[in-house]
Structure formats: C-alpha cells, structure tokens
Amino acid sequence: MAPPVLLVIAHGSRDPRHAATVHALTGRVRAQRPGLRVETAFLEFNAPSVPRVLERLAAEGAAEVVALPLLLTRAFHAKTDIPSVLREARARLPRLHIRQADVLGPSPLLNATLGRRLREAGVRPGDIPRTGLVLASAGSSDPEAIAVIAEIARELRHTGWCAVRPAFASASLPRTEDAVRALRAEGVDRVAVAPYVIAPGRLPDRIAAGAEAAGADVLADVLGPAPELARLLLDRYDEARVPVGASLSA
C-alpha cells in the first residue's frame, strides 16, 4: 500500500519569494525521502489552493493524506483556518482520509536551522558569548504562540549567547528594532537578529528593516529550505501517520 500523501500547507503571499521558498523546501523533502508523494498548497494568495489539491488527489484515487501546516506555532491558522478547510474537504471527499499533522515548532531542528543561518551570516562560535541575540518572529495575537516564542528565547539563552530577546514583526511587542536597542542599552556590544520565519515576505522584510534601523551587527536569513527544516517536516509527517503506540515498521 502506498504511504499517505504529504500535503504541505503554506499560508501564501503576494511576494513571489514566498512560494519559491516553499517549493524549494518541499523539493528538499522529496530528495530526503524518494518515493514519498509530496504536494504543496496555499491558504491564500498563491495557487493551488488546499481544496483544489485535495480534490485532485481524491480524483486520482489517493486513499490517505497527511496535511502538514507549514507553521512554527499553534496560532489562528493552525487552530482555525486549516482545520476548517480540512473539515469541509472531508465532508466533500468522504473516501479520502485526511489527517492534520502538528505545527513545526518548537523543535531542536528549528534551533539547529537558526544556528545554520547565523553561522552563514558570519557568527562564529567564539562570537556567541559576547553576542546578544534577537529572536524575531512574525508575531501573533494568540497568547500561546507568544509564550512559545518567549520560551524558545529562554532556551537559546542557555546555549551560550550573552542575552536573548524575543521580538515580533506584527501583533505583539517588542519590535525588532526595540529589542536590538534594549540589548545595546544593557551594554551588549554585538547584536545578531535571527528571523524565526520560514520564507521571505512582508513581515520578514519588516524584521530586516528593524534590524538595519537599530544597527544590528548581524542579520541572518530566513529559515528557508534548510535540510534540518526538511527533516522536521518528515518527522511531523511520520508522527501524524503512525497511531500512538505503533511503530513505522509495524
């Protein structure tokens, strides 16, 4: 029996870099697991939409789909938008079994991806003890999502950075520039900004602008199609397709 199809659900953006990054990431997922069918769909702005992909899969005779939100925290899209779209699809396509996987974060693999991007931006291991880090996320009005970002910042503080501050591009405070300036006010000489976002777009651009305005020394790239992130997508897929207490070899 063929394994369930992996359907990666991204938010979508008017910025063409967003979809290009998502497709590059799903391409890396395919490369890491040859033979697994991986499809991509978007909630808005980009095609194909989630309903259209699910309809096509059902018409082609697919039996099971794991729908994986390409989201870092459990906020509105993960709790409301995606479940609603999937409920409607289940009602219209009763022969297609659809499971929703968990969001990506938090995860050590995301922290590893952040580390990769910071190294690529020029942060060396010897720099970390004298560098303050701003963990800059897109932001959310959901308290659970904000608490997760704050907890990740606390965890990163224990990995050697002299200080770590969370920041948000929208909906919540502080903004990236405010977090950079706060670290400077505390006497931190060197500040790095790490965007905790997957793909380029309006909010990541806002993070970059804030980092530049406040004079951050280092600005890392978005998480993008990193191998660690592709591995995490497969981990979430495996967790969703295997019932609790079972094993993949069972």
Side-chain angles (χ1 to χ4, degrees):
M1 182 179 296
V5 177
L6 170 56
L7 174 60
V8 177
I9 302 177
H11 180 271
S13 171
R14 293 185 178 91
D15 188 322
R17 297 173 298 167
H18 176 91
T21 301
V22 171
H23 287 303
L25 176 59
T26 54
R28 190 176 284 273
V29 172
R30 292 186 190 97
Q32 288 194 10
R33 188 169 295 181
L36 173 64
R37 182 170 181 178
V38 182
E39 298 282 347
T40 308
F42 299 89
L43 287 175
E44 54 184 342
F45 301 121
N46 301 103
S49 68
V50 179
R52 297 293 84 77
V53 174
L54 291 171
E55 288 166 4
R56 173 166 53 81
L57 290 172
E60 293 173 358
E64 187 172 2
V65 174
V66 171
L68 172 59
L70 196 62
L71 300 170
L72 299 177
T73 59
R74 278 182 46 77
F76 182 80
H77 295 305
K79 294 178 177 178
T80 303
D81 279 357
I82 293 176
S84 175
V85 170
L86 297 182
R87 276 195 304 271
E88 292 172 2
R90 291 186 186 103
R92 289 185 292 103
L93 308 167
R95 294 186 179 180
L96 183 63
H97 182 58
I98 305 169
R99 301 186 189 188
Q100 181 177 337
D102 201 359
V103 297
L104 300 177
S107 168
L109 287 169
L110 286 173
N111 294 353
T113 307
L114 282 171
R116 170 187 288 273
R117 296 306 184 216
L118 285 161
R119 290 191 300 273
E120 291 170 350
V123 176
R124 298 166 298 182
D127 297 330
I128 291 176
R130 63 184 184 89
T131 302
L133 178 66
V134 174
L135 180 70
S137 78
S140 173
S141 58
D142 188 302
E144 179 184 348
I146 297 304
V148 167
I149 300 300
E151 179 58 29
I152 294 169
R154 285 191 290 270
E155 290 176 0
L156 290 171
R157 175 66 181 85
H158 297 302
T159 62
W161 302 93
C162 71
V164 181
R165 292 260 184 150
F168 308 94
S170 68
S172 308
L173 296 174
R175 297 288 184 255
T176 301
E177 54 269 36
D178 298 328
V180 172
R181 291 174 180 134
L183 287 171
R184 298 283 194 212
E186 293 171 6
V188 176
D189 288 334
R190 182 175 170 83
V191 178
V193 175
Y196 191 66
V197 291
I198 293 173
R202 178 175 57 88
L203 295 181
D205 284 351
R206 189 177 294 173
I207 290 170
E212 181 179 359
D217 300 283
V218 175
L219 172 63
D221 200 356
V222 297
L223 300 176
E228 296 89 351
L229 188 54
R231 175 68 256 171
L232 179 55
L233 266 65
L234 289 168
D235 285 351
R236 292 290 185 257
Y237 167 81
D238 290 336
E239 292 163 3
R241 66 179 283 237
V242 179
V244 175
S247 67
L248 283 173
S249 61

